PDB file of all heavy atoms in Angstrom:
ATOM      1  N   ALA K1399     -16.636  20.907  -0.541  1.00 97.00           N
ATOM      2  CA  ALA K1399     -15.822  21.158  -1.734  1.00 97.00           C
ATOM      3  C   ALA K1399     -14.856  19.998  -1.909  1.00 97.00           C
ATOM      4  O   ALA K1399     -14.387  19.410  -0.938  1.00 97.00           O
ATOM      5  CB  ALA K1399     -15.070  22.470  -1.610  1.00 97.00           C
ATOM      6  N   MET K1400     -14.555  19.704  -3.169  1.00 97.00           N
ATOM      7  CA  MET K1400     -13.624  18.617  -3.462  1.00 97.00           C
ATOM      8  C   MET K1400     -12.936  18.897  -4.789  1.00 97.00           C
ATOM      9  O   MET K1400     -13.596  19.140  -5.800  1.00 97.00           O
ATOM     10  CB  MET K1400     -14.354  17.278  -3.525  1.00 97.00           C
ATOM     11  CG  MET K1400     -13.463  16.102  -3.899  1.00 97.00           C
ATOM     12  SD  MET K1400     -14.349  14.534  -3.916  1.00 97.00           S
ATOM     13  CE  MET K1400     -14.668  14.314  -2.164  1.00 97.00           C
ATOM     14  N   VAL K1401     -11.622  18.882  -4.774  1.00 96.00           N
ATOM     15  CA  VAL K1401     -10.824  19.020  -5.986  1.00 96.00           C
ATOM     16  C   VAL K1401      -9.956  17.774  -6.081  1.00 96.00           C
ATOM     17  O   VAL K1401      -9.108  17.533  -5.227  1.00 96.00           O
ATOM     18  CB  VAL K1401      -9.954  20.288  -5.957  1.00 96.00           C
ATOM     19  CG1 VAL K1401      -9.222  20.449  -7.290  1.00 96.00           C
ATOM     20  CG2 VAL K1401     -10.791  21.512  -5.660  1.00 96.00           C
ATOM     21  N   GLY K1402     -10.175  16.994  -7.133  1.00 95.00           N
ATOM     22  CA  GLY K1402      -9.475  15.719  -7.258  1.00 95.00           C
ATOM     23  C   GLY K1402      -8.263  15.752  -8.154  1.00 95.00           C
ATOM     24  O   GLY K1402      -7.668  14.708  -8.427  1.00 95.00           O
ATOM     25  N   GLY K1403      -7.862  16.936  -8.635  1.00 94.00           N
ATOM     26  CA  GLY K1403      -6.708  17.036  -9.509  1.00 94.00           C
ATOM     27  C   GLY K1403      -6.640  18.398 -10.153  1.00 94.00           C
ATOM     28  O   GLY K1403      -7.534  19.245  -9.968  1.00 94.00           O
ATOM     29  N   PRO K1404      -5.600  18.653 -10.920  1.00 92.00           N
ATOM     30  CA  PRO K1404      -5.425  19.981 -11.515  1.00 92.00           C
ATOM     31  C   PRO K1404      -6.337  20.262 -12.695  1.00 92.00           C
ATOM     32  O   PRO K1404      -6.673  21.410 -12.962  1.00 92.00           O
ATOM     33  CB  PRO K1404      -3.951  19.982 -11.940  1.00 92.00           C
ATOM     34  CG  PRO K1404      -3.621  18.540 -12.157  1.00 92.00           C
ATOM     35  CD  PRO K1404      -4.439  17.772 -11.164  1.00 92.00           C
ATOM     36  N   ASP K1405      -6.740  19.222 -13.455  1.00 86.00           N
ATOM     37  CA  ASP K1405      -7.518  19.451 -14.673  1.00 86.00           C
ATOM     38  C   ASP K1405      -8.406  18.238 -14.933  1.00 86.00           C
ATOM     39  O   ASP K1405      -7.929  17.174 -15.314  1.00 86.00           O
ATOM     40  CB  ASP K1405      -6.587  19.690 -15.857  1.00 86.00           C
ATOM     41  CG  ASP K1405      -7.330  20.098 -17.123  1.00 86.00           C
ATOM     42  OD1 ASP K1405      -8.572  20.004 -17.141  1.00 86.00           O
ATOM     43  OD2 ASP K1405      -6.673  20.500 -18.096  1.00 86.00           O
ATOM     44  N   TYR K1406      -9.713  18.396 -14.734  1.00 83.00           N
ATOM     45  CA  TYR K1406     -10.645  17.289 -14.932  1.00 83.00           C
ATOM     46  C   TYR K1406     -10.705  16.869 -16.394  1.00 83.00           C
ATOM     47  O   TYR K1406     -10.886  15.688 -16.697  1.00 83.00           O
ATOM     48  CB  TYR K1406     -12.034  17.687 -14.448  1.00 83.00           C
ATOM     49  CG  TYR K1406     -13.032  16.556 -14.467  1.00 83.00           C
ATOM     50  CD1 TYR K1406     -13.114  15.668 -13.399  1.00 83.00           C
ATOM     51  CD2 TYR K1406     -13.893  16.370 -15.537  1.00 83.00           C
ATOM     52  CE1 TYR K1406     -14.016  14.611 -13.402  1.00 83.00           C
ATOM     53  CE2 TYR K1406     -14.809  15.322 -15.557  1.00 83.00           C
ATOM     54  CZ  TYR K1406     -14.866  14.447 -14.489  1.00 83.00           C
ATOM     55  OH  TYR K1406     -15.762  13.406 -14.505  1.00 83.00           O
ATOM     56  N   GLY K1407     -10.581  17.829 -17.297  1.00 68.00           N
ATOM     57  CA  GLY K1407     -10.621  17.497 -18.710  1.00 68.00           C
ATOM     58  C   GLY K1407      -9.465  16.621 -19.141  1.00 68.00           C
ATOM     59  O   GLY K1407      -9.591  15.797 -20.052  1.00 68.00           O
ATOM     60  N   GLU K1408      -8.328  16.761 -18.485  1.00 75.00           N
ATOM     61  CA  GLU K1408      -7.142  15.975 -18.841  1.00 75.00           C
ATOM     62  C   GLU K1408      -7.150  14.605 -18.184  1.00 75.00           C
ATOM     63  O   GLU K1408      -6.748  13.606 -18.776  1.00 75.00           O
ATOM     64  CB  GLU K1408      -5.884  16.738 -18.428  1.00 75.00           C
ATOM     65  CG  GLU K1408      -4.587  16.039 -18.783  1.00 75.00           C
ATOM     66  CD  GLU K1408      -3.366  16.869 -18.411  1.00 75.00           C
ATOM     67  OE1 GLU K1408      -3.490  18.105 -18.383  1.00 75.00           O
ATOM     68  OE2 GLU K1408      -2.317  16.277 -18.143  1.00 75.00           O
ATOM     69  N   SER K1409      -7.596  14.534 -16.939  1.00 79.00           N
ATOM     70  CA  SER K1409      -7.639  13.264 -16.218  1.00 79.00           C
ATOM     71  C   SER K1409      -8.801  13.296 -15.240  1.00 79.00           C
ATOM     72  O   SER K1409      -8.901  14.207 -14.422  1.00 79.00           O
ATOM     73  CB  SER K1409      -6.333  13.022 -15.456  1.00 79.00           C
ATOM     74  OG  SER K1409      -6.454  11.906 -14.587  1.00 79.00           O
ATOM     75  N   GLN K1410      -9.683  12.275 -15.331  1.00 81.00           N
ATOM     76  CA  GLN K1410     -10.843  12.219 -14.450  1.00 81.00           C
ATOM     77  C   GLN K1410     -10.583  11.399 -13.183  1.00 81.00           C
ATOM     78  O   GLN K1410     -11.494  11.193 -12.385  1.00 81.00           O
ATOM     79  CB  GLN K1410     -12.038  11.611 -15.196  1.00 81.00           C
ATOM     80  CG  GLN K1410     -12.605  12.491 -16.282  1.00 81.00           C
ATOM     81  CD  GLN K1410     -11.769  12.462 -17.547  1.00 81.00           C
ATOM     82  OE1 GLN K1410     -11.418  11.389 -18.038  1.00 81.00           O
ATOM     83  NE2 GLN K1410     -11.440  13.618 -18.084  1.00 81.00           N
ATOM     84  N   PHE K1411      -9.350  10.942 -12.989  1.00 88.00           N
ATOM     85  CA  PHE K1411      -9.034  10.183 -11.780  1.00 88.00           C
ATOM     86  C   PHE K1411      -9.140  11.106 -10.571  1.00 88.00           C
ATOM     87  O   PHE K1411      -8.486  12.154 -10.509  1.00 88.00           O
ATOM     88  CB  PHE K1411      -7.629   9.601 -11.866  1.00 88.00           C
ATOM     89  CG  PHE K1411      -7.205   8.860 -10.631  1.00 88.00           C
ATOM     90  CD1 PHE K1411      -7.811   7.661 -10.284  1.00 88.00           C
ATOM     91  CD2 PHE K1411      -6.208   9.348  -9.809  1.00 88.00           C
ATOM     92  CE1 PHE K1411      -7.431   6.977  -9.146  1.00 88.00           C
ATOM     93  CE2 PHE K1411      -5.814   8.672  -8.676  1.00 88.00           C
ATOM     94  CZ  PHE K1411      -6.425   7.478  -8.345  1.00 88.00           C
ATOM     95  N   ASN K1412      -9.984  10.725  -9.621  1.00 94.00           N
ATOM     96  CA  ASN K1412     -10.238  11.566  -8.455  1.00 94.00           C
ATOM     97  C   ASN K1412      -9.234  11.234  -7.361  1.00 94.00           C
ATOM     98  O   ASN K1412      -9.383  10.266  -6.622  1.00 94.00           O
ATOM     99  CB  ASN K1412     -11.666  11.355  -7.953  1.00 94.00           C
ATOM    100  CG  ASN K1412     -12.105  12.442  -6.994  1.00 94.00           C
ATOM    101  OD1 ASN K1412     -11.279  13.110  -6.371  1.00 94.00           O
ATOM    102  ND2 ASN K1412     -13.406  12.638  -6.877  1.00 94.00           N
ATOM    103  N   ARG K1413      -8.216  12.057  -7.255  1.00 95.00           N
ATOM    104  CA  ARG K1413      -7.165  11.821  -6.268  1.00 95.00           C
ATOM    105  C   ARG K1413      -7.659  12.046  -4.841  1.00 95.00           C
ATOM    106  O   ARG K1413      -7.082  11.507  -3.901  1.00 95.00           O
ATOM    107  CB  ARG K1413      -5.971  12.725  -6.572  1.00 95.00           C
ATOM    108  CG  ARG K1413      -5.346  12.422  -7.945  1.00 95.00           C
ATOM    109  CD  ARG K1413      -4.703  13.648  -8.552  1.00 95.00           C
ATOM    110  NE  ARG K1413      -4.233  13.417  -9.912  1.00 95.00           N
ATOM    111  CZ  ARG K1413      -4.995  13.548 -10.997  1.00 95.00           C
ATOM    112  NH1 ARG K1413      -6.271  13.900 -10.881  1.00 95.00           N
ATOM    113  NH2 ARG K1413      -4.502  13.327 -12.192  1.00 95.00           N
ATOM    114  N   ALA K1414      -8.694  12.842  -4.684  1.00 97.00           N
ATOM    115  CA  ALA K1414      -9.224  13.106  -3.347  1.00 97.00           C
ATOM    116  C   ALA K1414      -9.892  11.877  -2.749  1.00 97.00           C
ATOM    117  O   ALA K1414      -9.903  11.711  -1.524  1.00 97.00           O
ATOM    118  CB  ALA K1414     -10.218  14.264  -3.399  1.00 97.00           C
ATOM    119  N   THR K1415     -10.436  11.008  -3.585  1.00 96.00           N
ATOM    120  CA  THR K1415     -11.166   9.843  -3.079  1.00 96.00           C
ATOM    121  C   THR K1415     -10.483   8.514  -3.360  1.00 96.00           C
ATOM    122  O   THR K1415     -10.775   7.522  -2.680  1.00 96.00           O
ATOM    123  CB  THR K1415     -12.575   9.799  -3.699  1.00 96.00           C
ATOM    124  OG1 THR K1415     -12.463   9.759  -5.128  1.00 96.00           O
ATOM    125  CG2 THR K1415     -13.378  11.015  -3.293  1.00 96.00           C
ATOM    126  N   HIS K1416      -9.596   8.465  -4.343  1.00 94.00           N
ATOM    127  CA  HIS K1416      -9.045   7.169  -4.760  1.00 94.00           C
ATOM    128  C   HIS K1416      -7.515   7.090  -4.711  1.00 94.00           C
ATOM    129  O   HIS K1416      -6.982   5.984  -4.826  1.00 94.00           O
ATOM    130  CB  HIS K1416      -9.504   6.832  -6.171  1.00 94.00           C
ATOM    131  CG  HIS K1416     -10.987   6.633  -6.279  1.00 94.00           C
ATOM    132  ND1 HIS K1416     -11.657   5.665  -5.579  1.00 94.00           N
ATOM    133  CD2 HIS K1416     -11.932   7.296  -6.990  1.00 94.00           C
ATOM    134  CE1 HIS K1416     -12.950   5.719  -5.854  1.00 94.00           C
ATOM    135  NE2 HIS K1416     -13.141   6.704  -6.708  1.00 94.00           N
ATOM    136  N   ALA K1417      -6.829   8.193  -4.600  1.00 94.00           N
ATOM    137  CA  ALA K1417      -5.362   8.153  -4.553  1.00 94.00           C
ATOM    138  C   ALA K1417      -4.911   7.840  -3.127  1.00 94.00           C
ATOM    139  O   ALA K1417      -5.130   8.637  -2.213  1.00 94.00           O
ATOM    140  CB  ALA K1417      -4.779   9.486  -5.017  1.00 94.00           C
ATOM    141  N   ARG K1418      -4.308   6.695  -2.942  1.00 95.00           N
ATOM    142  CA  ARG K1418      -3.811   6.310  -1.622  1.00 95.00           C
ATOM    143  C   ARG K1418      -2.332   6.675  -1.560  1.00 95.00           C
ATOM    144  O   ARG K1418      -1.482   5.972  -2.094  1.00 95.00           O
ATOM    145  CB  ARG K1418      -4.034   4.817  -1.378  1.00 95.00           C
ATOM    146  CG  ARG K1418      -5.464   4.358  -1.617  1.00 95.00           C
ATOM    147  CD  ARG K1418      -5.732   2.993  -1.029  1.00 95.00           C
ATOM    148  NE  ARG K1418      -5.818   3.053   0.429  1.00 95.00           N
ATOM    149  CZ  ARG K1418      -6.930   3.331   1.109  1.00 95.00           C
ATOM    150  NH1 ARG K1418      -8.045   3.585   0.462  1.00 95.00           N
ATOM    151  NH2 ARG K1418      -6.920   3.374   2.424  1.00 95.00           N
ATOM    152  N   ARG K1419      -2.065   7.782  -0.900  1.00 96.00           N
ATOM    153  CA  ARG K1419      -0.698   8.311  -0.805  1.00 96.00           C
ATOM    154  C   ARG K1419      -0.219   8.247   0.648  1.00 96.00           C
ATOM    155  O   ARG K1419      -1.003   8.328   1.596  1.00 96.00           O
ATOM    156  CB  ARG K1419      -0.668   9.759  -1.304  1.00 96.00           C
ATOM    157  CG  ARG K1419      -1.228   9.958  -2.698  1.00 96.00           C
ATOM    158  CD  ARG K1419      -0.403   9.244  -3.739  1.00 96.00           C
ATOM    159  NE  ARG K1419       0.941   9.761  -3.836  1.00 96.00           N
ATOM    160  CZ  ARG K1419       1.532  10.179  -4.955  1.00 96.00           C
ATOM    161  NH1 ARG K1419       0.858  10.125  -6.101  1.00 96.00           N
ATOM    162  NH2 ARG K1419       2.766  10.611  -4.959  1.00 96.00           N
ATOM    163  N   GLN K1420       1.100   8.119   0.785  1.00 96.00           N
ATOM    164  CA  GLN K1420       1.667   8.056   2.127  1.00 96.00           C
ATOM    165  C   GLN K1420       1.442   9.383   2.862  1.00 96.00           C
ATOM    166  O   GLN K1420       1.844  10.432   2.372  1.00 96.00           O
ATOM    167  CB  GLN K1420       3.155   7.757   2.052  1.00 96.00           C
ATOM    168  CG  GLN K1420       3.477   6.339   1.621  1.00 96.00           C
ATOM    169  CD  GLN K1420       4.960   6.022   1.708  1.00 96.00           C
ATOM    170  OE1 GLN K1420       5.776   6.902   1.977  1.00 96.00           O
ATOM    171  NE2 GLN K1420       5.315   4.775   1.479  1.00 96.00           N
ATOM    172  N   PRO K1421       0.800   9.333   4.042  1.00 97.00           N
ATOM    173  CA  PRO K1421       0.493  10.583   4.751  1.00 97.00           C
ATOM    174  C   PRO K1421       1.667  11.176   5.512  1.00 97.00           C
ATOM    175  O   PRO K1421       1.579  12.304   5.998  1.00 97.00           O
ATOM    176  CB  PRO K1421      -0.617  10.162   5.719  1.00 97.00           C
ATOM    177  CG  PRO K1421      -0.321   8.711   5.985  1.00 97.00           C
ATOM    178  CD  PRO K1421       0.230   8.157   4.700  1.00 97.00           C
ATOM    179  N   GLY K1422       2.758  10.431   5.625  1.00 95.00           N
ATOM    180  CA  GLY K1422       3.899  10.957   6.362  1.00 95.00           C
ATOM    181  C   GLY K1422       3.530  11.261   7.807  1.00 95.00           C
ATOM    182  O   GLY K1422       2.753  10.550   8.443  1.00 95.00           O
TER     183      GLY K1422
END
């Protein structure tokens, strides 16, 4: 399973695969 954001229709940017965020 993979959810890349809250709404695919609004934004297709896949945060699960491309968002590089600080992991803390």
